[in-house]
Amino acid sequence: MSNVLLVSLNVQGLNLSEKRSSLLCLLWKKRAHVAFIQETHFRSSSIPKLSDRHFPYVYHSTSPDAKVKGVSLLISGAISWDLVESRTDGAGRYLFVKGKLAGTLVTMATVYAPNVGQVSFLSKVLRALEGFSEGILILGGDLNLALDPRVDSSKSRVSLPHSALSKLKDLLYSHQLIDTWRILHPSSRD
C-alpha cells in the first residue's frame, strides 16, 4: 500500500470520447493506481465507457436527470482489487467503494460538493461514510472551497465565514482526514 499512487481530478465533463481517452492516457502515463474523478457530467441512463485494459474497474455515481455533477472511481489493473461493496447517493455527488486494494481493506470515497452549503453537505456525507467505512479511509474529491485561503486560493481570501471554515476543519479532524497534497506541498499554490 505504501507505493499506491492516488489521483483526484475535476474533469469538467467527460461526454466527449476524446476527453475520456485523454484522461485514461494521462492516468496511465502517471502510473496512477486509483483515480477519484469529479464532474463527469454523465446521465444515469447513458453512461459512456470509461474503462480500458489499464483501468478495468470503474464505478460511477451519476445524476438521473441531466448531464451535471457526477463522480467516478477508476482502479488500475496493475494493482490487485477485490470489491466488497459500493454505495452512491443517486444524485452524482458521492460514491463509496469498499474492498481489498493490494491485500489491504480500504474504503475509498470520491466527493463533489456543491458550490454552497459545503459544510452541511460534507457533514452529511461523512455521517453516511461512518456506517459504511472499514479499514483505511481514503477520500478524494472537490470540496469547492479553500481550507487555507492564503495558499489554496488565488484571491487569498475565503468565501466561507470563519466560523464555517472552523467547523469544516473540526469535522475533517474528527474523522481523521487530512489534506495530503497540502502536507506534501506546504507552501505551493496550485
Side-chain angles (χ1 to χ4, degrees), residues 9-123:
L9 297 168
N10 182 315
V11 295
Q12 299 175 339
L14 285 176
N15 282 293
L16 296 175
S17 62
E18 295 84 6
K19 224 173 159 183
R20 291 190 304 275
S21 180
S22 293
L23 172 67
L24 291 167
C25 187
L26 171 74
L27 295 173
W28 180 76
K29 283 181 182 175
K30 287 192 171 282
R31 302 200 187 292
H33 293 106
V34 179
F36 301 82
I37 308 297
Q38 303 85 48
E39 260 194 281
T40 56
H41 295 180
F42 297 155
R43 185 179 295 137
S44 299
S45 60
S46 59
I47 300 172
K49 184 178 182 218
L50 187 59
S51 63
D52 67 5
R53 61 189 173 101
H54 300 291
F55 293 92
Y57 309 107
V58 181
Y59 306 91
H60 304 285
S61 177
T62 59
S63 173
D65 304 320
K67 291 183 178 181
V68 295
K69 303 177 245 176
V71 293
S72 295
L73 188 74
L74 285 71
I75 302 173
S76 168
I79 193 164
S80 66
W81 169 249
D82 292 310
L83 176 68
V84 172
E85 185 180 356
S86 67
R87 182 179 299 164
T88 71
D89 68 334
R93 287 286 182 189
Y94 69 78
L95 164 68
F96 306 156
V97 176
K98 180 173 24 181
K100 289 216 172 178
L101 185 68
T104 302
L105 183 62
V106 298
T107 299
M108 297 182 284
T110 182
V111 175
Y112 177 51
N115 292 323
V116 295
Q118 298 95 326
V119 177
S120 61
F121 169 80
L122 191 58
S123 179

Side-chain angles (χ1 to χ4, degrees), residues 103-171:
T104 302
L105 183 62
V106 298
T107 299
M108 297 182 284
T110 182
V111 175
Y112 177 51
N115 292 323
V116 295
Q118 298 95 326
V119 177
S120 61
F121 169 80
L122 191 58
S123 179
K124 181 182 99 172
V125 169
L126 292 175
R127 271 194 310 275
L129 194 52
E130 273 182 39
F132 181 84
S133 180
E134 289 183 71
I136 297 170
L137 173 59
I138 305 166
L139 182 126
D142 183 348
L143 301 182
N144 268 318
L145 54 83
L147 292 175
D148 184 350
R150 293 169 293 132
V151 289
D152 292 335
S153 170
S154 60
K155 296 176 183 171
S156 297
R157 64 177 187 260
V158 67
S159 60
L160 286 177
H162 179 72
S163 61
L165 192 55
S166 181
K167 283 181 187 175
L168 178 68
K169 288 179 180 180
D170 289 346
L171 186 62

